[in-house]
Amino acid sequence: MHLSLSHDMLALTIEEDSKTFYYLQNIADKNFQKKIGRKDKMIIFKEQDELVQRRYFLKLISKIYLRKTGNVQQSHVIENSLDKSIKISLLKSNQVLQKMNINIDIEDNYAVVFHMGSHNTLFASYLKSYFKDHLVRIRPKNGTITLYPNSDVTVRLLEKLLAQKELFGCFVEFSYAMEDFLAYKKSFIAKRAKRSRHNALFSLLEEYFGILGCKFEDSFEIIRRNYLALVKKYHPDSCGLYDGDLHVKYVAKFQEVQNAYEMLKMHFKHLEAKSA
C-alpha cells in the first residue's frame, strides 16, 4: 500500500488487494455524492456537509494502512486529511501504469489550455476541483480544457500542478514552453505589484479625504470648500496664545489639513492631465 500527498489530495495505491479496494469503493458509493471513478480508480472530493462520514472513512483507511504497513506516523497523516480530496487506486502486478501526455499552451499570455488529445473525465474533474473559484471550460470534442486565471494564485497553483509526476494512478508528463510560462508568471507578479501600489495609494488618498471631511467621490470644489473652512477653524491664531496645549493641537491639525489638501490637489491635477 503506497501513500502520496499533495497540498490538495491524499492518494492511496492498493497493490494486489482487490478485496480491500472494492470494500472501500462500496463504502464510498454509499456515503459520498461528489465522487468519480471507474473499475480500479476513484476520487472523492470534499463536501462540507459530508465531513462526518468523511472523518470515519479516513479513520477506516488509516486503520487498514496501519495494519498493512505498520507506519503509525503516516496513518495519522491519513486520519488528519479532512481538507483533501481522496484518491484510491488498485494496482495489480500485471497492470502497467498508464501515461498521460498533456501539452500546454498559454493563449495571449492569459488563458491556459491543456491539450489532452481525447476527453479525460478524471483529469477534467480533478482540474475543476484543483482550480476552485476559477473558470474552467471543458471541450470534450477537441479534448481540451481551458483555465482562465483570477489572480496570481492561479500561477502558484499551476506551478505546483506542473511539478506533479503522478495523478490518480497515472504517470503524467506536462509539455510546455518554459519561456512562455516564465513570461506568464512574470506578468502576474507585475500585476500583483501594481495592485499593491494602487491599494497603498488608495489608502493614503482615503485618509486625506477623511482628514478634510470628504468622500472619495467628492469633487475638488467640495474638497476646497471644506479645506477653507478647516484652515479657518484650526488656524493657530484662532485659539490665542494663552492656552499652550490647545495651541499645539491647533498647529498640528492645521498642518495635517494643509498637507492633505496639497496631496489631493496634486492627485486631481494628475487626473486632469491623464484625461486631457
PDB file of all heavy atoms in Angstrom, residues 30-35 44-56 82-83:
ATOM      1  N   LYS A  30     -21.818   4.494  -1.116  1.00  0.00           N
ATOM      2  CA  LYS A  30     -22.974   4.664  -0.240  1.00  0.00           C
ATOM      3  C   LYS A  30     -22.973   5.991   0.522  1.00  0.00           C
ATOM      4  O   LYS A  30     -24.034   6.471   0.928  1.00  0.00           O
ATOM      5  CB  LYS A  30     -23.030   3.517   0.780  1.00  0.00           C
ATOM      6  CG  LYS A  30     -23.364   2.165   0.162  1.00  0.00           C
ATOM      7  CD  LYS A  30     -23.341   1.073   1.235  1.00  0.00           C
ATOM      8  CE  LYS A  30     -23.681  -0.289   0.636  1.00  0.00           C
ATOM      9  NZ  LYS A  30     -23.590  -1.371   1.640  1.00  0.00           N
ATOM     10  N   ASN A  31     -21.779   6.571   0.718  1.00  0.00           N
ATOM     11  CA  ASN A  31     -21.682   7.718   1.636  1.00  0.00           C
ATOM     12  C   ASN A  31     -21.297   9.060   1.015  1.00  0.00           C
ATOM     13  O   ASN A  31     -21.440  10.091   1.679  1.00  0.00           O
ATOM     14  CB  ASN A  31     -20.667   7.397   2.743  1.00  0.00           C
ATOM     15  CG  ASN A  31     -21.170   6.347   3.697  1.00  0.00           C
ATOM     16  OD1 ASN A  31     -21.968   6.630   4.590  1.00  0.00           O
ATOM     17  ND2 ASN A  31     -20.718   5.106   3.503  1.00  0.00           N
ATOM     18  N   PHE A  32     -20.811   9.064  -0.230  1.00  0.00           N
ATOM     19  CA  PHE A  32     -20.326  10.313  -0.801  1.00  0.00           C
ATOM     20  C   PHE A  32     -20.983  10.610  -2.149  1.00  0.00           C
ATOM     21  O   PHE A  32     -21.091   9.734  -3.005  1.00  0.00           O
ATOM     22  CB  PHE A  32     -18.799  10.275  -0.967  1.00  0.00           C
ATOM     23  CG  PHE A  32     -18.064  10.031   0.326  1.00  0.00           C
ATOM     24  CD1 PHE A  32     -17.495   8.796   0.603  1.00  0.00           C
ATOM     25  CD2 PHE A  32     -17.961  11.036   1.280  1.00  0.00           C
ATOM     26  CE1 PHE A  32     -16.836   8.566   1.794  1.00  0.00           C
ATOM     27  CE2 PHE A  32     -17.298  10.818   2.480  1.00  0.00           C
ATOM     28  CZ  PHE A  32     -16.734   9.581   2.743  1.00  0.00           C
ATOM     29  N   GLN A  33     -21.423  11.854  -2.287  1.00  0.00           N
ATOM     30  CA  GLN A  33     -22.100  12.275  -3.516  1.00  0.00           C
ATOM     31  C   GLN A  33     -21.105  12.739  -4.587  1.00  0.00           C
ATOM     32  O   GLN A  33     -21.208  12.362  -5.746  1.00  0.00           O
ATOM     33  CB  GLN A  33     -23.081  13.419  -3.201  1.00  0.00           C
ATOM     34  CG  GLN A  33     -24.222  13.024  -2.293  1.00  0.00           C
ATOM     35  CD  GLN A  33     -25.133  11.994  -2.916  1.00  0.00           C
ATOM     36  OE1 GLN A  33     -25.460  12.072  -4.098  1.00  0.00           O
ATOM     37  NE2 GLN A  33     -25.530  11.012  -2.126  1.00  0.00           N
ATOM     38  N   LYS A  34     -20.153  13.575  -4.175  1.00  0.00           N
ATOM     39  CA  LYS A  34     -19.216  14.172  -5.146  1.00  0.00           C
ATOM     40  C   LYS A  34     -18.038  13.227  -5.345  1.00  0.00           C
ATOM     41  O   LYS A  34     -16.975  13.385  -4.767  1.00  0.00           O
ATOM     42  CB  LYS A  34     -18.744  15.542  -4.655  1.00  0.00           C
ATOM     43  CG  LYS A  34     -18.128  16.395  -5.752  1.00  0.00           C
ATOM     44  CD  LYS A  34     -17.779  17.777  -5.239  1.00  0.00           C
ATOM     45  CE  LYS A  34     -17.119  18.608  -6.327  1.00  0.00           C
ATOM     46  NZ  LYS A  34     -16.689  19.917  -5.821  1.00  0.00           N
ATOM     47  N   LYS A  35     -18.281  12.216  -6.214  1.00  0.00           N
ATOM     48  CA  LYS A  35     -17.295  11.158  -6.394  1.00  0.00           C
ATOM     49  C   LYS A  35     -17.275  10.742  -7.855  1.00  0.00           C
ATOM     50  O   LYS A  35     -18.310  10.678  -8.521  1.00  0.00           O
ATOM     51  CB  LYS A  35     -17.657   9.967  -5.513  1.00  0.00           C
ATOM     52  CG  LYS A  35     -16.699   8.797  -5.574  1.00  0.00           C
ATOM     53  CD  LYS A  35     -17.195   7.660  -4.704  1.00  0.00           C
ATOM     54  CE  LYS A  35     -18.318   6.921  -5.383  1.00  0.00           C
ATOM     55  NZ  LYS A  35     -17.900   6.187  -6.594  1.00  0.00           N
ATOM     56  N   ILE A  44     -12.685  11.023  -4.416  1.00  0.00           N
ATOM     57  CA  ILE A  44     -13.769  11.576  -3.600  1.00  0.00           C
ATOM     58  C   ILE A  44     -13.395  13.029  -3.279  1.00  0.00           C
ATOM     59  O   ILE A  44     -12.369  13.292  -2.657  1.00  0.00           O
ATOM     60  CB  ILE A  44     -13.941  10.786  -2.288  1.00  0.00           C
ATOM     61  CG1 ILE A  44     -14.225   9.311  -2.599  1.00  0.00           C
ATOM     62  CG2 ILE A  44     -15.056  11.367  -1.439  1.00  0.00           C
ATOM     63  CD1 ILE A  44     -13.966   8.390  -1.434  1.00  0.00           C
ATOM     64  N   PHE A  45     -14.241  13.958  -3.727  1.00  0.00           N
ATOM     65  CA  PHE A  45     -13.975  15.379  -3.497  1.00  0.00           C
ATOM     66  C   PHE A  45     -14.636  15.841  -2.196  1.00  0.00           C
ATOM     67  O   PHE A  45     -15.635  15.280  -1.758  1.00  0.00           O
ATOM     68  CB  PHE A  45     -14.480  16.210  -4.680  1.00  0.00           C
ATOM     69  CG  PHE A  45     -13.807  15.876  -5.975  1.00  0.00           C
ATOM     70  CD1 PHE A  45     -14.453  15.130  -6.946  1.00  0.00           C
ATOM     71  CD2 PHE A  45     -12.499  16.279  -6.215  1.00  0.00           C
ATOM     72  CE1 PHE A  45     -13.837  14.812  -8.138  1.00  0.00           C
ATOM     73  CE2 PHE A  45     -11.865  15.964  -7.402  1.00  0.00           C
ATOM     74  CZ  PHE A  45     -12.525  15.226  -8.373  1.00  0.00           C
ATOM     75  N   LYS A  46     -14.056  16.880  -1.629  1.00  0.00           N
ATOM     76  CA  LYS A  46     -14.531  17.372  -0.329  1.00  0.00           C
ATOM     77  C   LYS A  46     -15.870  18.087  -0.465  1.00  0.00           C
ATOM     78  O   LYS A  46     -16.042  18.922  -1.342  1.00  0.00           O
ATOM     79  CB  LYS A  46     -13.492  18.330   0.259  1.00  0.00           C
ATOM     80  CG  LYS A  46     -13.874  18.886   1.626  1.00  0.00           C
ATOM     81  CD  LYS A  46     -12.857  19.898   2.099  1.00  0.00           C
ATOM     82  CE  LYS A  46     -13.299  20.562   3.390  1.00  0.00           C
ATOM     83  NZ  LYS A  46     -12.391  21.631   3.811  1.00  0.00           N
ATOM     84  N   GLU A  47     -16.805  17.747   0.429  1.00  0.00           N
ATOM     85  CA  GLU A  47     -18.090  18.425   0.531  1.00  0.00           C
ATOM     86  C   GLU A  47     -18.322  18.770   2.000  1.00  0.00           C
ATOM     87  O   GLU A  47     -18.171  17.910   2.866  1.00  0.00           O
ATOM     88  CB  GLU A  47     -19.222  17.519   0.030  1.00  0.00           C
ATOM     89  CG  GLU A  47     -19.315  17.406  -1.481  1.00  0.00           C
ATOM     90  CD  GLU A  47     -19.919  18.647  -2.107  1.00  0.00           C
ATOM     91  OE1 GLU A  47     -21.117  18.916  -1.882  1.00  0.00           O
ATOM     92  OE2 GLU A  47     -19.187  19.362  -2.818  1.00  0.00           O
ATOM     93  N   GLN A  48     -18.694  20.030   2.279  1.00  0.00           N
ATOM     94  CA  GLN A  48     -18.863  20.478   3.664  1.00  0.00           C
ATOM     95  C   GLN A  48     -19.866  19.650   4.448  1.00  0.00           C
ATOM     96  O   GLN A  48     -19.663  19.361   5.619  1.00  0.00           O
ATOM     97  CB  GLN A  48     -19.320  21.932   3.696  1.00  0.00           C
ATOM     98  CG  GLN A  48     -18.231  22.999   3.753  1.00  0.00           C
ATOM     99  CD  GLN A  48     -17.104  22.759   4.711  1.00  0.00           C
ATOM    100  OE1 GLN A  48     -15.970  22.607   4.281  1.00  0.00           O
ATOM    101  NE2 GLN A  48     -17.372  22.706   6.011  1.00  0.00           N
ATOM    102  N   ASP A  49     -20.956  19.246   3.779  1.00  0.00           N
ATOM    103  CA  ASP A  49     -21.999  18.528   4.514  1.00  0.00           C
ATOM    104  C   ASP A  49     -21.717  17.029   4.636  1.00  0.00           C
ATOM    105  O   ASP A  49     -22.580  16.260   5.092  1.00  0.00           O
ATOM    106  CB  ASP A  49     -23.373  18.753   3.865  1.00  0.00           C
ATOM    107  CG  ASP A  49     -23.402  18.301   2.416  1.00  0.00           C
ATOM    108  OD1 ASP A  49     -22.335  17.922   1.888  1.00  0.00           O
ATOM    109  OD2 ASP A  49     -24.493  18.330   1.809  1.00  0.00           O
ATOM    110  N   GLU A  50     -20.519  16.594   4.230  1.00  0.00           N
ATOM    111  CA  GLU A  50     -20.154  15.187   4.354  1.00  0.00           C
ATOM    112  C   GLU A  50     -18.953  14.978   5.279  1.00  0.00           C
ATOM    113  O   GLU A  50     -18.288  13.945   5.220  1.00  0.00           O
ATOM    114  CB  GLU A  50     -19.831  14.608   2.963  1.00  0.00           C
ATOM    115  CG  GLU A  50     -21.026  14.549   2.033  1.00  0.00           C
ATOM    116  CD  GLU A  50     -20.688  14.002   0.650  1.00  0.00           C
ATOM    117  OE1 GLU A  50     -19.482  13.912   0.308  1.00  0.00           O
ATOM    118  OE2 GLU A  50     -21.625  13.666  -0.091  1.00  0.00           O
ATOM    119  N   LEU A  51     -18.688  15.950   6.133  1.00  0.00           N
ATOM    120  CA  LEU A  51     -17.496  15.883   6.979  1.00  0.00           C
ATOM    121  C   LEU A  51     -17.542  14.728   7.984  1.00  0.00           C
ATOM    122  O   LEU A  51     -16.516  14.127   8.300  1.00  0.00           O
ATOM    123  CB  LEU A  51     -17.285  17.209   7.721  1.00  0.00           C
ATOM    124  CG  LEU A  51     -16.782  18.384   6.863  1.00  0.00           C
ATOM    125  CD1 LEU A  51     -16.628  19.629   7.722  1.00  0.00           C
ATOM    126  CD2 LEU A  51     -15.460  18.035   6.203  1.00  0.00           C
ATOM    127  N   VAL A  52     -18.743  14.419   8.494  1.00  0.00           N
ATOM    128  CA  VAL A  52     -18.858  13.341   9.497  1.00  0.00           C
ATOM    129  C   VAL A  52     -18.471  11.998   8.886  1.00  0.00           C
ATOM    130  O   VAL A  52     -17.598  11.285   9.407  1.00  0.00           O
ATOM    131  CB  VAL A  52     -20.286  13.269  10.078  1.00  0.00           C
ATOM    132  CG1 VAL A  52     -20.415  12.066  10.999  1.00  0.00           C
ATOM    133  CG2 VAL A  52     -20.610  14.546  10.848  1.00  0.00           C
ATOM    134  N   GLN A  53     -19.102  11.634   7.776  1.00  0.00           N
ATOM    135  CA  GLN A  53     -18.778  10.354   7.142  1.00  0.00           C
ATOM    136  C   GLN A  53     -17.363  10.357   6.572  1.00  0.00           C
ATOM    137  O   GLN A  53     -16.697   9.309   6.518  1.00  0.00           O
ATOM    138  CB  GLN A  53     -19.798   9.978   6.058  1.00  0.00           C
ATOM    139  CG  GLN A  53     -20.015  10.994   4.950  1.00  0.00           C
ATOM    140  CD  GLN A  53     -21.211  11.886   5.214  1.00  0.00           C
ATOM    141  OE1 GLN A  53     -21.322  12.453   6.292  1.00  0.00           O
ATOM    142  NE2 GLN A  53     -22.089  12.012   4.224  1.00  0.00           N
ATOM    143  N   ARG A  54     -16.904  11.530   6.179  1.00  0.00           N
ATOM    144  CA  ARG A  54     -15.533  11.642   5.673  1.00  0.00           C
ATOM    145  C   ARG A  54     -14.526  11.328   6.780  1.00  0.00           C
ATOM    146  O   ARG A  54     -13.529  10.646   6.561  1.00  0.00           O
ATOM    147  CB  ARG A  54     -15.315  13.065   5.149  1.00  0.00           C
ATOM    148  CG  ARG A  54     -14.016  13.283   4.408  1.00  0.00           C
ATOM    149  CD  ARG A  54     -13.920  14.749   3.984  1.00  0.00           C
ATOM    150  NE  ARG A  54     -12.744  14.952   3.178  1.00  0.00           N
ATOM    151  CZ  ARG A  54     -12.660  14.714   1.885  1.00  0.00           C
ATOM    152  NH1 ARG A  54     -13.701  14.239   1.247  1.00  0.00           N
ATOM    153  NH2 ARG A  54     -11.550  14.932   1.219  1.00  0.00           N
ATOM    154  N   ARG A  55     -14.783  11.832   7.990  1.00  0.00           N
ATOM    155  CA  ARG A  55     -13.902  11.576   9.135  1.00  0.00           C
ATOM    156  C   ARG A  55     -13.829  10.076   9.448  1.00  0.00           C
ATOM    157  O   ARG A  55     -12.742   9.530   9.660  1.00  0.00           O
ATOM    158  CB  ARG A  55     -14.401  12.364  10.345  1.00  0.00           C
ATOM    159  CG  ARG A  55     -13.477  12.274  11.568  1.00  0.00           C
ATOM    160  CD  ARG A  55     -13.941  13.150  12.703  1.00  0.00           C
ATOM    161  NE  ARG A  55     -13.695  14.555  12.451  1.00  0.00           N
ATOM    162  CZ  ARG A  55     -14.638  15.457  12.196  1.00  0.00           C
ATOM    163  NH1 ARG A  55     -15.913  15.088  12.148  1.00  0.00           N
ATOM    164  NH2 ARG A  55     -14.330  16.721  11.977  1.00  0.00           N
ATOM    165  N   TYR A  56     -14.975   9.416   9.446  1.00  0.00           N
ATOM    166  CA  TYR A  56     -14.999   7.975   9.724  1.00  0.00           C
ATOM    167  C   TYR A  56     -14.319   7.173   8.606  1.00  0.00           C
ATOM    168  O   TYR A  56     -13.658   6.172   8.865  1.00  0.00           O
ATOM    169  CB  TYR A  56     -16.445   7.492   9.925  1.00  0.00           C
ATOM    170  CG  TYR A  56     -16.990   7.831  11.297  1.00  0.00           C
ATOM    171  CD1 TYR A  56     -17.938   8.836  11.465  1.00  0.00           C
ATOM    172  CD2 TYR A  56     -16.538   7.154  12.433  1.00  0.00           C
ATOM    173  CE1 TYR A  56     -18.428   9.160  12.727  1.00  0.00           C
ATOM    174  CE2 TYR A  56     -17.028   7.465  13.696  1.00  0.00           C
ATOM    175  CZ  TYR A  56     -17.971   8.467  13.838  1.00  0.00           C
ATOM    176  OH  TYR A  56     -18.448   8.785  15.086  1.00  0.00           O
ATOM    177  N   LEU A  82      -8.685  15.764   6.338  1.00  0.00           N
ATOM    178  CA  LEU A  82     -10.080  16.117   6.089  1.00  0.00           C
ATOM    179  C   LEU A  82     -10.255  17.140   4.972  1.00  0.00           C
ATOM    180  O   LEU A  82     -11.291  17.190   4.314  1.00  0.00           O
ATOM    181  CB  LEU A  82     -10.710  16.673   7.373  1.00  0.00           C
ATOM    182  CG  LEU A  82     -11.257  15.656   8.367  1.00  0.00           C
ATOM    183  CD1 LEU A  82     -11.602  16.327   9.670  1.00  0.00           C
ATOM    184  CD2 LEU A  82     -12.474  14.940   7.798  1.00  0.00           C
ATOM    185  N   ASP A  83      -9.250  17.987   4.761  1.00  0.00           N
ATOM    186  CA  ASP A  83      -9.377  19.073   3.785  1.00  0.00           C
ATOM    187  C   ASP A  83      -8.926  18.673   2.381  1.00  0.00           C
ATOM    188  O   ASP A  83      -8.918  19.491   1.472  1.00  0.00           O
ATOM    189  CB  ASP A  83      -8.572  20.287   4.246  1.00  0.00           C
ATOM    190  CG  ASP A  83      -7.090  19.979   4.393  1.00  0.00           C
ATOM    191  OD1 ASP A  83      -6.763  18.806   4.672  1.00  0.00           O
ATOM    192  OD2 ASP A  83      -6.267  20.902   4.236  1.00  0.00           O
TER     193      ASP A  83
END
